[in-house]
Amino acid sequence: HEADAHRTDLMTITRFVLNEQSKHPESRGDFSILLSHIVLGCKFVCSAVNKAGLAKLIGLAGETNVQCILVSEEDEEAIFVEPSKRGKYCVVFDPLDGSSNIDCGVSIGTIFGIYMMKDSHEPTLDDVLQPGNNMLAAGYCMYGSSCTLVLSTGSGVNGFTLDPSLGEFILTHPDIKIPKKGKIYSVNEGNAKNWDGPTAKYVEKCKFPKDGSSPKSLRYIGSMVADVHRTLLYGGIFMYPRDKKSPNGKLRVLYEVFPMSFLMEQAGGQSFTGKQRALDLVPKKIHERSPIFLGSYDDVEEIKALFYAAEEKK
Ligand code: P6P
């Protein structure tokens, strides 16, 4: 039967990654091996998180390392892989973003980005202090009612859902495109007292539109992966602005802002820091923060206009 035929022709993330690799005949497969290790890590975290409380996550010691530098939100210093196991890629990641939400069952996630080393000599921090434009791939895995992995390797965005009976991620959201405009704004209104002018003006516009349109809905989960995933699928804007207490906002450039900005642009949206296109940022420190406004193209365009108008008045 037609339905059964589809069931046997499952597009798994493994097949998807290998299909991508076949588009680069010169590649030796290191990138596919790296992605498959990241996918394995996400499956491991998914099973641990689903045990309603994290057992101590022991490291997944991979035999063949194909990366040379690892930057994790959990580690103050970058991790340099030992020379014998060194590859040509660098991975920046937040292994469990939003982990303060675990106890109340709110969706949390892993966020990652992949760079190619600048040159194949001794790796240095410069290999990860690259602009977001240089990222080769980015993605997140959301641990919620289902385990969903959203990935881009530079030619669009695809979503995969873990089928626990197979232990495989199956392609469920092919070629995700974010709606050009949305009806949702997502920000922690509790910081409103300390917002800068353009942010306050934009949120005011969302709540009391002057053009007679209906107000936007506020949705804020306080877990970046969940807020961004909803924004990607339903449209709208997600913001973590700067404020008087945190002049660079709260979210980290390398493993929160860049990967989510990469995905948004690949899905037809955009991502802005209040000053510039987020992916144009060049980080100077591995745990640097930046304000962020990302989501539907037209919604971000509106807040950009308010920031640029405020610049002009200075
Ligand atoms: P606030 C979670 O702690 C996190 O890093 C992101 O996942 C989330 O978007 C943000 O912080 C929430 O921060 O200040 O609104 O609680």
Side-chain angles (χ1 to χ4, degrees):
H1 297 290
E2 184 58 23
D4 292 350
H6 275 301
R7 281 187 61 73
T8 51
D9 186 21
L10 289 177
M11 177 49 80
T12 64
I13 197 164
T14 312
R15 279 182 63 194
F16 181 87
V17 167
L18 290 174
N19 285 352
E20 289 298 294
Q21 177 186 322
S22 63
K23 293 175 190 166
H24 307 274
E26 76 290 350
S27 87
R28 293 180 332 188
D30 285 0
F31 191 69
S32 303
I33 292 170
L34 171 56
L35 277 177
S36 60
H37 283 178
I38 291 173
V39 168
L40 175 62
C42 292
K43 288 180 190 172
F44 180 86
V45 174
C46 178
S47 68
V49 167
N50 286 348
K51 290 189 178 93
L54 277 180
K56 182 96 190 73
L57 280 187
I58 42 165
L60 273 175
E63 285 63 51
T64 42
N65 278 295
V66 280
Q67 67 276 344
C68 61
I69 306 181
L70 297 166
V71 169
S72 166
E73 192 265 349
E74 300 285 327
D75 295 294
E76 195 49 41
E77 305 301 325
I79 300 159
F80 290 82
V81 173
E82 58 176 276
S84 64
K85 290 191 160 186
R86 210 167 268 168
K88 55 189 178 187
Y89 297 106
C90 308
V91 184
V92 292
F93 61 110
D94 188 343
L96 217 51
D97 185 85
S99 48
S100 55
N101 293 297
I102 290 186
D103 298 347
C104 62
V106 162
S107 297
I108 56 177
T110 298
I111 311 171
F112 62 88
I114 301 174
Y115 286 114
M116 171 87 80
M117 275 182 72
K118 277 189 173 157
D119 59 44
S120 54
H121 302 304
E122 203 51 27
T124 69
L125 278 188
D126 281 349
D127 290 304
V128 284
L129 295 175
Q130 299 189 48
N133 294 316
N134 293 2
M135 266 191 186
L136 297 176
Y140 59 79
C141 189
M142 186 171 76
Y143 311 108
S145 47
S146 63
C147 179
T148 305
L149 197 149
V150 172
L151 171 70
S152 174
T153 55
S155 42
V157 180
N158 290 281
F160 303 83
T161 305
L162 183 64
D163 178 337
S165 65
L166 295 175
E168 263 291 5
F169 281 99
I170 309 297
L171 180 64
T172 47
H173 298 71
D175 196 21
I176 300 175
K177 291 295 173 208
I178 184 170
K180 197 163 176 304
K181 193 165 177 46
K183 300 188 176 67
I184 296 170
Y185 74 103
S186 185
V187 68
N188 183 341
E189 288 257 15
N191 298 330
K193 187 163 74 71
N194 297 319
W195 284 340
D196 56 37
T199 301
K201 252 199 206 98
Y202 178 74
V203 173
E204 184 72 8
K205 244 175 116 214
C206 293
K207 296 156 85 165
F208 305 97
K210 295 260 184 306
D211 60 2
S213 60
S214 44
K216 289 188 191 290
S217 289
L218 169 59
R219 292 285 182 275
Y220 191 72
I221 304 168
S223 179
M224 188 186 197
V225 172
D227 278 317
V228 169
H229 188 59
R230 182 208 53 249
T231 305
L232 183 65
L233 297 187
Y234 295 177
I237 186 166
F238 169 78
M239 305 175 254
Y240 207 105
R242 60 191 293 279
D243 64 36
K244 290 176 196 124
K245 285 183 308 174
S246 354
N248 289 318
K250 173 180 182 182
L251 300 180
R252 309 285 185 169
V253 172
L254 277 182
Y255 40 78
E256 289 176 313
V257 170
F258 278 170
M260 296 314 203
S261 302
F262 184 102
L263 290 170
M264 279 298 155
E265 290 201 359
Q266 286 289 320
Q270 59 174 326
S271 181
F272 180 65
T273 66
K275 289 202 176 76
Q276 63 185 106
R277 173 175 171 257
L279 291 178
D280 287 337
L281 265 178
V282 182
K284 293 181 187 47
K285 293 211 178 332
I286 59 173
H287 296 296
E288 193 170 306
R289 302 171 194 265
S290 167
I292 187 73
F293 305 84
L294 59 76
S296 292
Y297 192 89
D298 291 357
D299 295 327
V300 177
E301 206 57 20
E302 269 183 52
I303 197 161
K304 270 168 71 175
L306 292 171
F307 271 97
Y308 289 139
E311 268 309 294
E312 249 134 65
K313 284 196 190 110
K314 277 183 183 164

Short mmCIF file of all heavy atoms in Angstrom, two decimals, residues 73 94 96-101 109 111 187-189 191 220-228 238-240 250-252 256, ligand 1:
data_model
loop_
_atom_site.label_atom_id
_atom_site.label_comp_id
_atom_site.label_asym_id
_atom_site.label_seq_id
_atom_site.Cartn_x
_atom_site.Cartn_y
_atom_site.Cartn_z
N GLU A 73 29.13 26.02 27.14
CA GLU A 73 28.61 26.97 28.14
C GLU A 73 29.01 26.51 29.52
O GLU A 73 29.19 27.29 30.44
CB GLU A 73 27.07 27.04 28.01
CG GLU A 73 26.42 28.17 28.76
CD GLU A 73 25.92 27.75 30.14
OE1 GLU A 73 25.90 26.54 30.41
OE2 GLU A 73 25.59 28.64 30.93
N ASP A 94 25.84 24.81 23.79
CA ASP A 94 25.25 24.92 25.12
C ASP A 94 24.55 23.59 25.34
O ASP A 94 23.50 23.34 24.75
CB ASP A 94 24.25 26.09 25.14
CG ASP A 94 23.75 26.37 26.55
OD1 ASP A 94 23.92 25.47 27.41
OD2 ASP A 94 23.20 27.46 26.79
N LEU A 96 22.85 22.17 27.67
CA LEU A 96 21.50 22.07 28.24
C LEU A 96 21.00 23.48 28.56
O LEU A 96 20.96 23.93 29.70
CB LEU A 96 21.57 21.22 29.53
CG LEU A 96 20.38 20.32 29.78
CD1 LEU A 96 20.06 19.47 28.56
CD2 LEU A 96 20.64 19.40 30.95
N ASP A 97 20.61 24.17 27.46
CA ASP A 97 20.16 25.56 27.63
C ASP A 97 18.79 25.56 28.30
O ASP A 97 17.91 24.79 27.95
CB ASP A 97 20.06 26.24 26.25
CG ASP A 97 19.71 27.71 26.41
OD1 ASP A 97 20.63 28.51 26.61
OD2 ASP A 97 18.50 28.02 26.40
N GLY A 98 18.65 26.45 29.29
CA GLY A 98 17.36 26.55 29.99
C GLY A 98 17.26 25.53 31.11
O GLY A 98 16.18 25.21 31.59
N SER A 99 18.42 24.97 31.52
CA SER A 99 18.39 23.84 32.48
C SER A 99 17.71 24.21 33.79
O SER A 99 17.26 23.32 34.52
CB SER A 99 19.80 23.31 32.75
OG SER A 99 20.65 24.39 33.03
N SER A 100 17.58 25.52 34.08
CA SER A 100 16.89 25.89 35.34
C SER A 100 15.42 25.47 35.26
O SER A 100 14.71 25.44 36.25
CB SER A 100 16.99 27.40 35.56
OG SER A 100 16.49 28.07 34.40
N ASN A 101 14.95 25.12 34.05
CA ASN A 101 13.54 24.75 33.90
C ASN A 101 13.29 23.25 34.02
O ASN A 101 12.15 22.79 33.88
CB ASN A 101 13.04 25.18 32.49
CG ASN A 101 13.00 26.69 32.34
OD1 ASN A 101 12.27 27.36 33.04
ND2 ASN A 101 13.82 27.22 31.45
N GLY A 109 16.88 22.58 25.92
CA GLY A 109 17.49 22.14 24.68
C GLY A 109 18.99 22.22 24.64
O GLY A 109 19.64 22.84 25.48
N ILE A 111 22.03 23.49 22.10
CA ILE A 111 22.25 24.37 20.93
C ILE A 111 23.70 24.18 20.49
O ILE A 111 24.60 24.11 21.34
CB ILE A 111 22.02 25.85 21.30
CG1 ILE A 111 20.69 26.05 22.04
CG2 ILE A 111 22.06 26.72 20.05
CD1 ILE A 111 20.51 27.45 22.61
N VAL A 187 9.27 38.23 24.82
CA VAL A 187 10.30 38.96 25.58
C VAL A 187 9.93 38.88 27.05
O VAL A 187 8.76 38.68 27.40
CB VAL A 187 10.35 40.46 25.11
CG1 VAL A 187 9.08 41.21 25.51
CG2 VAL A 187 11.61 41.16 25.64
N ASN A 188 10.93 39.02 27.93
CA ASN A 188 10.65 39.01 29.37
C ASN A 188 10.21 40.42 29.78
O ASN A 188 11.04 41.30 29.99
CB ASN A 188 11.90 38.61 30.16
CG ASN A 188 11.61 38.54 31.66
OD1 ASN A 188 10.62 39.12 32.13
ND2 ASN A 188 12.45 37.85 32.39
N GLU A 189 8.90 40.63 29.85
CA GLU A 189 8.34 41.96 30.17
C GLU A 189 8.77 42.42 31.56
O GLU A 189 8.67 43.60 31.88
CB GLU A 189 6.80 41.90 30.10
CG GLU A 189 6.25 41.78 28.70
CD GLU A 189 5.71 43.10 28.18
OE1 GLU A 189 6.01 44.14 28.79
OE2 GLU A 189 5.01 43.09 27.15
N ASN A 191 11.59 42.89 32.53
CA ASN A 191 12.75 43.79 32.44
C ASN A 191 12.38 45.15 31.84
O ASN A 191 13.26 45.98 31.59
CB ASN A 191 13.84 43.13 31.56
CG ASN A 191 14.33 41.82 32.18
OD1 ASN A 191 14.32 41.68 33.39
ND2 ASN A 191 14.74 40.88 31.33
N TYR A 220 6.08 33.87 26.19
CA TYR A 220 7.47 33.83 26.67
C TYR A 220 7.62 32.65 27.62
O TYR A 220 6.98 32.61 28.67
CB TYR A 220 7.84 35.12 27.39
CG TYR A 220 9.33 35.24 27.66
CD1 TYR A 220 10.24 35.47 26.61
CD2 TYR A 220 9.86 35.09 28.94
CE1 TYR A 220 11.60 35.58 26.84
CE2 TYR A 220 11.21 35.18 29.17
CZ TYR A 220 12.09 35.42 28.13
OH TYR A 220 13.44 35.51 28.36
N ILE A 221 8.45 31.67 27.21
CA ILE A 221 8.61 30.46 28.02
C ILE A 221 9.81 30.59 28.95
O ILE A 221 9.87 29.98 30.01
CB ILE A 221 8.78 29.22 27.08
CG1 ILE A 221 7.60 29.14 26.10
CG2 ILE A 221 8.91 27.94 27.87
CD1 ILE A 221 7.80 28.17 24.95
N GLY A 222 10.79 31.41 28.52
CA GLY A 222 11.99 31.58 29.35
C GLY A 222 12.98 30.46 29.13
O GLY A 222 13.90 30.26 29.91
N SER A 223 12.80 29.72 28.05
CA SER A 223 13.76 28.68 27.65
C SER A 223 14.01 28.93 26.16
O SER A 223 13.11 28.74 25.34
CB SER A 223 13.14 27.30 27.88
OG SER A 223 14.03 26.30 27.48
N MET A 224 15.24 29.39 25.81
CA MET A 224 15.48 29.93 24.47
C MET A 224 15.08 28.96 23.37
O MET A 224 14.46 29.35 22.38
CB MET A 224 16.95 30.32 24.31
CG MET A 224 17.19 31.04 23.00
SD MET A 224 18.94 31.37 22.72
CE MET A 224 18.79 32.62 21.43
N VAL A 225 15.46 27.67 23.52
CA VAL A 225 15.18 26.72 22.45
C VAL A 225 13.68 26.62 22.20
O VAL A 225 13.22 26.63 21.05
CB VAL A 225 15.79 25.33 22.77
CG1 VAL A 225 15.34 24.29 21.75
CG2 VAL A 225 17.31 25.41 22.79
N ALA A 226 12.88 26.60 23.28
CA ALA A 226 11.42 26.49 23.13
C ALA A 226 10.85 27.77 22.51
O ALA A 226 10.03 27.71 21.59
CB ALA A 226 10.78 26.22 24.49
N ASP A 227 11.32 28.94 22.98
CA ASP A 227 10.82 30.21 22.42
C ASP A 227 11.22 30.37 20.95
O ASP A 227 10.43 30.83 20.13
CB ASP A 227 11.35 31.39 23.25
CG ASP A 227 10.53 31.64 24.52
OD1 ASP A 227 9.28 31.59 24.43
OD2 ASP A 227 11.13 31.86 25.59
N VAL A 228 12.45 29.96 20.62
CA VAL A 228 12.91 30.10 19.23
C VAL A 228 12.19 29.08 18.32
O VAL A 228 11.79 29.42 17.20
CB VAL A 228 14.44 29.96 19.13
CG1 VAL A 228 14.91 29.84 17.68
CG2 VAL A 228 15.13 31.15 19.80
N PHE A 238 11.40 37.03 18.65
CA PHE A 238 11.94 36.67 19.96
C PHE A 238 13.03 37.69 20.30
O PHE A 238 13.88 38.00 19.46
CB PHE A 238 12.53 35.26 19.95
CG PHE A 238 13.33 34.96 21.20
CD1 PHE A 238 12.70 34.64 22.40
CD2 PHE A 238 14.73 35.04 21.18
CE1 PHE A 238 13.44 34.39 23.54
CE2 PHE A 238 15.47 34.79 22.33
CZ PHE A 238 14.83 34.47 23.52
N MET A 239 12.98 38.23 21.53
CA MET A 239 13.95 39.28 21.87
C MET A 239 14.58 39.01 23.23
O MET A 239 13.88 38.58 24.16
CB MET A 239 13.22 40.63 21.99
CG MET A 239 12.43 41.02 20.79
SD MET A 239 11.51 42.55 21.12
CE MET A 239 9.88 41.90 21.29
N TYR A 240 15.91 39.20 23.32
CA TYR A 240 16.50 39.40 24.62
C TYR A 240 17.31 40.70 24.54
O TYR A 240 18.48 40.68 24.17
CB TYR A 240 17.37 38.22 25.12
CG TYR A 240 17.36 38.22 26.63
CD1 TYR A 240 16.63 37.30 27.35
CD2 TYR A 240 18.01 39.25 27.34
CE1 TYR A 240 16.56 37.35 28.74
CE2 TYR A 240 17.93 39.32 28.73
CZ TYR A 240 17.20 38.38 29.43
OH TYR A 240 17.11 38.45 30.81
N LYS A 250 21.67 39.12 27.79
CA LYS A 250 22.01 37.93 28.60
C LYS A 250 22.53 36.78 27.73
O LYS A 250 23.34 35.98 28.19
CB LYS A 250 20.75 37.47 29.34
CG LYS A 250 20.94 36.17 30.09
CD LYS A 250 19.67 35.74 30.81
CE LYS A 250 19.90 34.45 31.58
NZ LYS A 250 18.67 33.99 32.25
N LEU A 251 22.08 36.67 26.49
CA LEU A 251 22.37 35.48 25.70
C LEU A 251 23.77 35.52 25.10
O LEU A 251 24.30 36.58 24.76
CB LEU A 251 21.29 35.30 24.62
CG LEU A 251 19.88 35.14 25.22
CD1 LEU A 251 18.84 34.98 24.12
CD2 LEU A 251 19.81 33.98 26.19
N ARG A 252 24.38 34.31 25.02
CA ARG A 252 25.79 34.21 24.62
C ARG A 252 25.91 34.15 23.10
O ARG A 252 25.11 33.49 22.44
CB ARG A 252 26.37 32.92 25.21
CG ARG A 252 26.14 32.76 26.70
CD ARG A 252 27.02 33.66 27.52
NE ARG A 252 26.86 33.41 28.95
CZ ARG A 252 27.67 33.92 29.86
NH1 ARG A 252 28.68 34.67 29.49
NH2 ARG A 252 27.47 33.69 31.14
N GLU A 256 24.48 30.60 21.56
CA GLU A 256 23.02 30.88 21.59
C GLU A 256 22.67 31.80 20.42
O GLU A 256 21.89 31.45 19.54
CB GLU A 256 22.62 31.52 22.94
CG GLU A 256 22.67 30.54 24.11
CD GLU A 256 22.37 31.18 25.47
OE1 GLU A 256 22.93 32.24 25.77
OE2 GLU A 256 21.56 30.59 26.23
P1 P6P B 1 15.22 35.37 31.71
C1 P6P B 1 17.71 30.24 30.23
O1 P6P B 1 18.26 30.50 31.49
C2 P6P B 1 18.25 31.28 29.26
O2 P6P B 1 19.63 31.19 29.15
C3 P6P B 1 17.59 31.09 27.90
O3 P6P B 1 17.29 29.77 27.64
C4 P6P B 1 16.34 31.95 28.03
O4 P6P B 1 15.93 32.49 26.79
C5 P6P B 1 16.79 33.08 28.96
O5 P6P B 1 17.89 32.57 29.71
C6 P6P B 1 15.68 33.48 29.91
O6 P6P B 1 16.19 34.56 30.69
O7 P6P B 1 16.09 36.49 32.24
O8 P6P B 1 14.07 35.91 30.87
O9 P6P B 1 14.78 34.38 32.74
#
